[in-house]
Amino acid sequence: MTVNGWILILLFAALVAAVARPLGGFMTRVFTGERTLLSPVLRPVERGLYRLAGVDEKTEQHWVTYAVAMLLFNLAGMLLLYGMQRVQGLLPFNPQGMAAVPADLAFNTAASFTTNTNWQNYGGEGTMSYFVQMAGLTVHNFVSAATGIALAVALVRGFARAGCRTVGNFWVDLTRCTLYVLLPLSFVVALFLVWQGVPQTLGAAVDATTLEGAKQTIALGPVASQEAIKMLGTNGGGFFNANSAHPFENPTALTNLIQMLSIFALGAGLTNLFGRMVGDERQGWAILAAMGVLFFLGVTLAYWAEAQGNPALTALGIDTAAGNMEGKETRFGIAASALFAVVTTAASCGAVNAMHDSFMPLGGMVPMINMMLGEIIIGGVGAGLYGMLLFAIIALFVAGLMVGRTPEYLGKKLEAKEVKMTMLAVLCLPVMMLGWTALAVVLDTGTASMANAGPHGFSEALYAYVSAAANNGSAFAGLTGNTLWYNLTLAVGMLVGRFFVIVPMLAIAGSLAAKTRAAASAGTFPTHDTLFVGLLVGVILIVGGLTFFPALALGPVVEHLAMNAGTLF
Amino acid sequence: MESQKKTGRRSSASTMLDPAILVPALGDSVRKLDPRLMVRNPVMFCVEAVAALTTLLLLRDLATGAGNIGFAVQIVVWLWFTLLFANFAEAVAEGRGKAQAASLRKTKTETNAKLLPNNGEGGTDRWQTVPATRLKTGDLVLVEAGDLIPSDGEVVEGVASVNEAAITGESAPVIRESGGDRSAVTGGTQVISDWIKVRITAAPGSTFLDRMIALVEGAQRQKTPNEIALNILLAGMTIIFVIAVATIPSFVAYAGGSVSVLVLVALFVTLIPTTIGALLSAIGIAGMDRLVRFNVLAMSGRAVEAAGDVDTLLLDKTGTITLGNRQASEFLPVSGVAERDLADAAQLASLVDETPEGRSIVVLAKEKYGIRGRDMADRHAHFIPFSAQTRISGIDADGSAIRKGAVDAVLAHVRGAGPTVAASRGGAVAAIRPNALADAAEREVTAIAERVAKAGGTPLAVARDGRLLGVIHLKDVVKGGIRERFAALRQMGIKTVMITGDNPMTAAAIAAEAGVDDFLAQATPEAKLQLIRDEQAKGKLVAMCGDGTNDAPALAQADVGVAMNTGTMAAREAGNMVDLDSDPTKLIEIVEIGKQLLMTRGALTTFSIANDVAKYFAIIPAMFLAFYPQLGALNVMGLASPESAILSAIIFNALVIVALIPLALRGVRYRPVGAASLLRRNLLVYGLGGIVIPFAGIKAIDLIVNAIGLV
């Protein structure tokens, strides 16, 4: 570990903390329907869209209606994306003449982009036409992110309101989020990336002759625009197979920093929105602080592990002082790669600038733990906040009684219904992550895809399902995912991991909104101080993390111990 | 009952741990293994299911002679012990209530009632004997001296002294009479003297005594809302651990190893929250029992939980904040009258006044001026008793007439106009028409009276032969230590509101002296009800106590309504708790008991979940060691062998239940401090302690297990 490395990590953390408040303030105005700086330009567009769709922006929805609207919208989007891939040969903007995507892969990809996962069982430059990339994938990058944010806002409204039947209007939230938040920010970030050298063209790939005289096809395309929303919307689906390790996606150290910041920006801002909407910004800071503690724990472990270098190489007399550089880009180095890996899995982004498969066992374990916890460390846009709030409900339910009152959060009594829905939401992650892994590692069709044996192969399969169910989308690599088995099971993991969390969460939002608000007093459990942050972190690690202890022990932990003993897998 | 009440109050859990309760509890522990009973507790039901499964596997292994039988037998035995310990905790908690229910049942012997047919039109001597169980609501019965009152009812005619020891444990008889707030009688109590006619208000089987028996016995114990929610959480966690454990065999198979069902079961049972699962119902029963021992009956567990959540306490001034009786503290003469003369007249007028106020005047006169009691016999004395109509009492003796009483009444008397009936006592000063105060003495008395009222006292004017002498200052004496209790309540975030019939000035003075946060002066039942609604609209939970029929709406509206046992049937029906001692001060303790119940539940839940960390570190390395020897590095406790590690974890898991039974029954210690410091302390003890203690405990058990060669 170097001083430079730590300066980068601390600078990054400071930048995230700095953007949280202004973004939170802006988003609060957007979602409460107040005027913003962009209103003069965008308000007519917004009104036009409502008129076109026949949406009355004044009418709010009961949580069930909100959930149905959200599900229908996502179903329609998924079907459309599936169809688009299947007939891409007939569609325009296909200079490379890409053929139709096979059914199982198209299904997997449709589920992946609808759920904001962006797991890619394909190489973008070799499979998808420009049209599918732009009209299909990039559009989903926007709307799946907007869906997540809208849902988080609905839950926050549940806490903020009292005696209210409705939680907002899904169509309005979706439109406002896309129009006022995602589009303008993406525009700015895309321009920045173009300036840094990221291509943005509809022209075909370029054929070049290398110095050795070999012919090489250099893939191009509308990269910058997809790159911006890939980060801001915590999507993670790269234009190129190599994702953010590719020099055309992430050319410089500066783009690397801005890309990481883009991943965290909206998620961090939402915690502030939460604080503002419930009328006490400290509540938002406490949530962000809990995320921060977990983030630093992860970064420290991952950076330390990667900085160590592989003892097997050291034993061969190779200088590993630079750390474990396998699978990393030299223009980023250890710290920026380890940090990126933690950021991308803490949030539900899944973009990668280094190969997680080549990380040291413990370095690769950190991204896994981040995802196993349900991506609540900043998390996917919206998803991170509601995931964290679900954990806050558990924490307060377990420990809240210790102040001698029945559990409450922000004046809302936590009762049987909230607990039931929270447990339903929390349960589906281990079912998907551990259940599918358990099947994959004993079925031939599952093990056939693993590139490595032993604990490392196990980690590859585990990582895939964890990434899918957590809607992350990053891959450990080493696993051949484009098989019928993995295409289907991973798609199920992604869909369950997304929608089986969302629906109970919305039920909680509806139930909370209907409740009266209990007045705060000196006897109320304080949820804005360090004690609460510590409690929340403890509950997340014990309730959310320990479930995966056996699996981790059999994967990265044993691999690490074996490596130190001189055995590699 | 009598002795129970005296010793039972505030007694510790030790009364629960006496052999009379423990021995039957042992039997109950086995009886409760019935799966039909067990299914009510999802966590322990899971334990029972896997215990049964491993027992079957053990029997198979015994038949085939396969496996490590000695180890398997021990695991299976400890699984059953885990269940028995859980049942034992519940049985002990129920034990005390059962004993009390049995003694209550004795009073519910077969009684006969003297039914007055046709609504008593035939006169009181035309009764017919029917068994009490056949009485219907609305029947009229006659109860005479020596009779047991056959059922709950309202006195419609007569007055009698009633021994209510069967219900309250208090043997001194109380007066029950028709009309007013003391008209309710309870079935099973006994009329000592005189007779009453009672209109039956309870259907057979639902009398107060029946409900009380059911309550203390816990027969119809329903899970409280928070308990239900907590059970859902625990069930959810159990399912998570089912997944965590059920996927292990497949992971292990991939790694080329194997793992026995027994070990998986051991991991599962230690991971699921058995500690809180085992003690949850015992905690609830013990909390209710603490109230019962405190002579308060909660009609539902929900009420006890609500008590912990209370934000606002409405407290009656008299009896709760101040001592019931006002005491004379000062003689304040008008100018031209010596203080001693005033004292002399006041003492003379009070000599036969048997009210506490009257007696305190005599005492003050003696203390201050040495004025002794006088023999009235030779003075042609004629006493005028106090009446609610005149609000004046006095004496005519030696040719002079001394009157004392409410200031406005005495002023009216002096003017010869008779008392102003409309003005209320205490609120008198304002009611005086200023144009009538021509006389300087009148003005002076009014001024003094106002000063007294402002200081929180009650002024009593004294006049002799139509001439005003001055004012006696009757002081409301605030109870010692009450100020500190209110300060403690404030730290807990609970607001106290004093309810009083006094005028606002007097009320403000007493409120300031007692340190309450707010007061409601000249309180009417409507004002009380409105105050409760206002507080609730602000999102606060309100507790109050009351006894009169006109309190019933407020009692029903309050989140915690404690009805006094001396009160009317209407009040008792409206409240969700009944205080058998009729002591309004108890409201504070009721809140504390509610909080203690919730805290105990939270502390043990936290402890139970925190325990998991150590258990993982005990069992995971042991489980995988055979095929991944490297994982021995996770054996941070240095447990001797995989078998002893697993056995130690399961023994710890079972023993910790037993170790925590006293805490579950006694409750976590409650301190009246703010939520933040309460939480800090409890998190440290039960959260951090919950993580650390099992590491030490499992290690210690492992040492013992190896020392005596169990594996």
Side-chain angles (χ1 to χ4, degrees), chain A residues 142 181-194 224-225 228-229 232:
Chain A
F142 277 96
V181 181
L182 296 177
L183 276 172
L185 277 173
S186 300
F187 192 72
V188 175
V189 173
L191 282 183
F192 168 83
L193 293 174
V194 169
S225 58
I229 188 62
L232 283 167

Side-chain angles (χ1 to χ4, degrees), chain B residues 161-248:
Chain B
S161 59
V162 178
N163 181 347
E164 297 193 334
I167 303 290
T168 63
E170 174 63 57
S171 56
V174 291
I175 300 293
R176 294 292 181 206
E177 58 193 339
S178 62
D181 289 348
R182 305 179 139 260
S183 60
V185 287
T186 310
T189 58
Q190 193 178 27
V191 170
I192 306 281
S193 68
D194 306 294
W195 57 268
I196 43 175
K197 277 193 205 169
V198 176
R199 169 100 46 215
I200 300 301
T201 53
S206 66
T207 64
F208 187 71
L209 197 60
D210 290 319
R211 277 193 290 166
M212 192 163 161
I213 290 170
L215 269 170
V216 298
E217 196 175 41
Q220 300 161 343
R221 200 181 92 83
Q222 304 232 313
K223 284 186 186 148
T224 58
N226 176 260
E227 217 176 330
I228 292 171
L230 190 52
N231 255 316
I232 294 172
L233 180 92
L234 299 179
M237 290 191 163
T238 306
I239 298 173
I240 290 180
F241 288 121
V242 168
I243 300 158
V245 173
T247 49
I248 289 178

Side-chain angles (χ1 to χ4, degrees), chain A residues 215-481:
Chain A
K215 288 275 182 205
Q216 187 184 356
T217 305
I218 297 174
L220 292 174
V223 182
S225 58
Q226 184 173 333
E227 202 64 14
I229 188 62
K230 165 183 129 185
M231 298 304 177
L232 283 167
T234 59
N235 292 290
F239 196 92
F240 303 111
N241 196 18
N243 210 301
S244 282
H246 194 293
F248 282 178
E249 283 204 17
N250 190 8
T252 65
L254 195 55
T255 56
N256 195 55
L257 181 67
I258 295 302
Q259 290 201 357
M260 288 191 293
L261 182 61
S262 305
I263 295 174
F264 268 9
L266 289 177
L270 281 171
T271 62
N272 183 256
L273 167 139
F274 167 66
R276 285 174 192 262
M277 284 182 73
V278 300
D280 179 4
E281 279 191 62
R282 294 176 307 172
Q283 303 290 347
W285 292 123
I287 294 290
L288 188 60
M291 294 171 166
V293 171
L294 290 165
F295 170 73
F296 272 104
L297 288 176
V299 167
T300 309
L301 180 57
Y303 185 28
W304 170 82
E306 293 312 304
Q308 291 309 301
N310 193 329
L313 293 177
T314 319
L316 294 173
I318 298 168
D319 178 17
T320 54
N324 171 36
M325 278 304 289
E326 181 193 319
K328 295 189 178 60
E329 292 288 296
T330 47
R331 69 181 184 282
F332 302 135
I334 301 291
S337 299
L339 178 61
F340 198 106
V342 174
V343 168
T344 195
T345 50
S348 116
C349 184
V352 290
N353 77 348
M355 294 304 115
H356 295 179
D357 191 32
S358 302
F359 273 33
M360 302 301 287
L362 294 184
M365 183 175 78
V366 173
M368 264 197 257
I369 293 177
N370 281 341
M371 295 185 287
M372 285 165 171
L373 296 180
E375 291 181 337
I376 35 99
I377 309 167
I378 305 290
V381 283
L385 180 63
Y386 63 66
M388 194 63 159
L389 291 177
L390 292 180
F391 267 116
I393 289 176
I394 296 181
L396 283 167
F397 200 86
V398 169
L401 286 164
M402 286 199 293
V403 301
R405 289 172 67 96
T406 55
E408 60 198 359
Y409 188 28
L410 303 165
K412 300 291 185 153
K413 286 281 172 208
L414 305 176
E415 291 163 303
K417 178 164 187 197
E418 287 75 38
V419 175
K420 195 186 298 170
M421 292 299 146
T422 306
M423 290 321 282
L424 273 181
V426 170
L427 254 174
C428 71
L429 287 188
V431 173
M432 287 294 113
M433 293 172 178
L434 294 176
W436 286 124
T437 309
L439 287 176
V441 297
V442 290
L443 296 177
D444 288 340
T445 174
T447 50
S449 286
M450 296 177 193
N452 300 81
H456 197 76
F458 179 78
S459 293
E460 287 168 357
L462 178 65
Y463 192 105
Y465 288 109
V466 167
S467 172
N471 294 153
N472 184 275
S474 70
F476 210 41
L479 184 81
T480 310

Side-chain angles (χ1 to χ4, degrees), chain B residues 389-450:
Chain B
Q389 287 295 304
T390 60
R391 294 180 301 131
I392 278 182
S393 65
I395 189 169
D396 292 336
D398 298 339
S400 70
I402 304 171
R403 295 289 181 275
K404 72 172 172 38
V407 175
D408 60 327
V410 173
L411 288 181
H413 163 78
V414 171
R415 289 197 296 271
T420 323
V421 177
S424 67
R425 188 183 185 184
V429 184
I432 296 161
R433 286 153 298 168
N435 60 352
L437 299 172
D439 188 14
E442 276 193 26
R443 230 174 297 143
E444 214 183 328
V445 162
T446 310
I448 297 171
E450 208 161 314

